[in-house]
Amino acid sequence: MATDPYHSFAAELRNSLRSAQELAGTYSKGSASSTNTNTDSRRAAHDALVDALEALEADIADVRESVNVVSRSPERFGLDEQELGNRRRFVKDCEEQFKRLSKVPGERPTTTRKYAPDAGDADADLERGASRGDDDVEAFEREQQQSLLAQQDNTLSLIGRSLTSLRTQASAFGTEIAEQVELVGALDSEVDTSQSRLKRAMGRLDEIARRSDDRCGGWCVWLLVVVSAWGRVIRFSWYCLVA
């Protein structure tokens, strides 16, 4: 079964949503007193809330993408329509809360006195820009990893189906070979039986031939004796007539 990234993304989204809600509450309380003395703190709270909302938006996008991925083939992740519906409702609820929270910051607070932006603000802007760039790189790498994992899952599925087909063919070959072995064994038994019968038949024929030879030999002797006796009788009769 393929790995479902939803739960880890959803946990990060809940943490981001909770942090954004806390920062929004802090900023709203600070905005209630609009004096110049707390402008810097309100600006810091505003920037922190904006950063939290950006992180929240990115987390919502990750969860939404994970839901879209599993929706294309939920059976691979062992999900049903009820679970998919719960996840879609969770994403929709987070998007609605994000819209409400996005209305809280408004414009960045400014002071009434003129001042030049200090180096700290510039460094903070650079850090936020670098952080956003890192987030984009991480999102791209995460997307690439998910794509590679999906390709690996497809490849493993194809290999699994090929192995199953080979196992089925091997089982069929084994069954056929076993049947052929049984047929060869039966044929050997029939050949042995036929050879035994043929040997017995040949023995009987030899016995009959031997007995026939013995009988023919005896009759020939008696026939010669009779012929010889008749010859002597005829010769004796001839002598008697001549004499």
Side-chain angles (χ1 to χ4, degrees), residues 178-206:
E179 293 177 353
Q180 295 294 332
V181 169
E182 291 180 358
L183 291 175
V184 171
L187 181 61
D188 289 339
S189 299
E190 291 292 335
V191 170
D192 293 338
T193 303
S194 299
Q195 287 180 349
S196 298
R197 292 177 180 175
L198 180 60
K199 186 180 294 184
R200 289 196 298 270
M202 292 298 295
R204 292 176 182 176
L205 289 176
D206 291 340

Side-chain angles (χ1 to χ4, degrees), residues 1-2 76 149-164:
M1 184 180 296
R76 290 179 53 199
L149 290 175
Q151 293 178 0
Q152 291 177 357
D153 290 339
N154 292 332
T155 303
L156 291 176
S157 298
L158 291 175
I159 293 174
R161 287 194 293 270
S162 299
L163 292 176
T164 301

Side-chain angles (χ1 to χ4, degrees), residues 28-167:
S28 298
K29 292 179 181 179
S31 298
S33 57
S34 58
T35 60
N36 292 334
T37 56
N38 63 353
T39 300
D40 292 338
S41 61
R42 287 193 298 112
R43 289 173 59 226
H46 177 276
D47 294 340
L49 178 57
V50 170
D51 292 340
L53 290 174
E54 290 178 354
L56 177 60
E57 185 178 12
D59 291 338
I60 291 175
D62 291 338
V63 175
R64 186 191 306 112
E65 180 63 23
S66 69
V67 173
N68 292 334
V69 169
V70 299
S71 297
R72 287 193 286 268
S73 56
E75 64 279 356
R76 290 179 53 199
F77 300 90
L79 302 178
D80 53 13
E81 290 298 329
Q82 183 178 0
E83 177 63 21
L84 290 176
N86 293 335
R87 295 186 181 188
R88 293 190 183 100
R89 284 191 294 272
F90 173 71
V91 173
K92 185 177 181 180
D93 181 65
C94 291
E95 290 175 344
E96 292 177 354
Q97 295 189 51
F98 172 76
K99 291 179 181 179
R100 289 195 297 269
L101 292 173
S102 298
K103 298 177 182 179
V104 175
E107 296 183 357
R108 193 167 187 263
T110 57
T111 58
T112 56
R113 66 180 185 275
K114 296 181 180 179
Y115 66 96
D118 55 8
D121 293 338
D123 293 339
D125 292 337
L126 290 175
E127 290 178 357
R128 284 194 294 272
S131 177
R132 294 172 186 173
D134 293 339
D135 292 340
D136 293 338
V137 172
E138 291 178 357
F140 177 76
E141 291 178 351
R142 189 184 303 113
E143 183 178 357
Q144 292 296 320
Q145 290 176 356
Q146 291 177 354
S147 177
L148 290 175
L149 290 175
Q151 293 178 0
Q152 291 177 357
D153 290 339
N154 292 332
T155 303
L156 291 176
S157 298
L158 291 175
I159 293 174
R161 287 194 293 270
S162 299
L163 292 176
T164 301
S165 178
L166 290 175
R167 184 176 61 184

